[in-house]
Amino acid sequence: MRLAMAVGIALASSVAVAEGDNGEVGQAPTEQQPLFLSNGSQEQPSYTSHYSSAPYTNTTWEQVPRDASVYDSPYNVALFSGENGEDKARMWSQTKSIFWYGVGVAGFIALLPEDISNWDTSDDRLLEKWWNNVKDGPVWDRDVWYINYIGHPYFGGVYYQIARKSGYRQWDAFVYSFMMSTFYWEYGVEAFAEIPAVQDLVVTPVLGWVYGEWAFHKEREIIQGGGKVWDSEWMGSTALFLLDPVDSLGRGVNHLMGRDVVKAGTGYIGYQDVALPNGQTDTKFSVNMNFQLGEGETSPAMRRNYTRVQMMTTSDPVDYGIVGISVGGRYLDLDDEWGIENNWAPMITLGLYYTPYLSSRLQYTRVDTDSKLTGESVTYENYSFDFQYYFLSDHDLRPYINAGIGETLLEKDRDTTTFQVNGGLGLHYQLDSNWALQMDWVHFYSGKLSSNDDLFSGQLVYRFGRGERW
């Protein structure tokens, strides 16, 4: 007995497909495009592909020439309008699919030990539990590190690719990932089990953007290399599935059902007429991945055929290079109301550097210090979501002001959580397009305790990708 799962992937090429007056579908070979390799050289592909029918003709954003005016408002969101020819139908189909997949993921997490998932699986009434969790959030959660900082960015990247492969630019794909991770997951499915988490709201879409764009191109690179990883087709097929499981599952469902149950793979999927040994022709996906258990040969219509992938660049001023992460140290000059000793603490931030004059970041500081009363060790935590406005943005040295809101708590005890507003001044020095140094002073005020804290920090900032390009 054999179980085979075929997942079709094909690039949307410059292919002319015309329907004649008699209703028959015409075919034309793909235009021969040079293959751009990672070292910048070009290879002329020696293949032709014939595509039939045309529902799968959407291309990636970079494959369509754009008028420069499309970037006049670089942070315009075309997610709902599809004003630039994006494939809204494919994105909506994929969105419906992920709703169902998410139910399965939630079920799996619910089966994990509670000390791993931190999900509350009590028998409280479901809607009442959801509402209470939504009201109580967001909080800094205590999930294990690999769930928060590997699992969440991974699924943020999965969301991201749904829009990216539907012809949307990077910024729109990020906005889609943010909406899905926030409203579908954190305040949707996951809120039935736990309180929404502060870091998940930021980490999932932001690092998901970085991972998702990498996976988006890595998938094409694997296909370009013949579908192999380390000279193994099995490794290549597995990698392609892991890079984008939603698209892969959708294509597998379509193939197994013999029709478009899920409109997946737009921009990759094309139907190709293939001659069979018996002299007949079969219409199939132009690229197939086969997952097979048991014995037997795969039929010719199920075998893998790879189409060359052309690497593209874009003049879009907004890409994942606006994502920045920083690490550094901070001196805590704390109000006596906290009852703990001042101390040095490590800090980390993650955020978006929209332009040379505006950024927003989530920052987190934690340290074990001593109680002034007992001398025992006390864990101090502070996190805030802040905006920075930079002056002299066309210079390397840029003074800036900082303002935001956040919370401080002791001993990981949510009952000690204290809301704070903050403001401060800083100095930013741009080393190059990717690296920068920052020093700042930020004052935190709490109305609950009437406390005044002064935090002094220095940090090294790294921007992903091409970094600052404005």
Side-chain angles (χ1 to χ4, degrees), residues 423-442:
L425 302 173
L427 198 60
H428 174 104
Y429 183 71
Q430 194 71 33
L431 298 171
D432 59 27
S433 59
N434 292 99
W435 296 93
L437 294 172
Q438 288 191 343
M439 297 180 64
D440 61 30
W441 155 78
V442 181

Side-chain angles (χ1 to χ4, degrees), residues 398-445:
R398 308 166 190 170
Y400 67 90
I401 57 175
N402 181 96
I405 58 174
E407 294 178 325
T408 293
L409 69 158
L410 302 179
E411 291 293 88
K412 304 179 184 179
D413 184 357
R414 289 176 182 169
D415 292 336
T416 68
T417 300
T418 302
F419 176 80
Q420 295 177 310
V421 295
N422 73 73
L425 302 173
L427 198 60
H428 174 104
Y429 183 71
Q430 194 71 33
L431 298 171
D432 59 27
S433 59
N434 292 99
W435 296 93
L437 294 172
Q438 288 191 343
M439 297 180 64
D440 61 30
W441 155 78
V442 181
H443 183 81
F444 287 80
Y445 173 75

Side-chain angles (χ1 to χ4, degrees), residues 92-105:
W92 174 236
S93 176
Q94 291 279 63
T95 302
K96 290 186 289 185
S97 296
I98 208 167
F99 268 89
W100 290 109
Y101 300 153
V103 172
V105 172

Side-chain angles (χ1 to χ4, degrees), residues 25 40 74 88 117 120 165 181 196 263 273 283 311 323 359 372-373 408 420 424 427 432:
V25 178
K88 293 192 298 180
S117 68
D120 177 10
K165 289 184 177 181
S181 61
K263 192 184 179 192
D273 292 330
T283 301
M311 302 304 293
V323 177
S359 64
K372 290 182 177 180
L373 181 63
T408 293
Q420 295 177 310
L427 198 60
D432 59 27

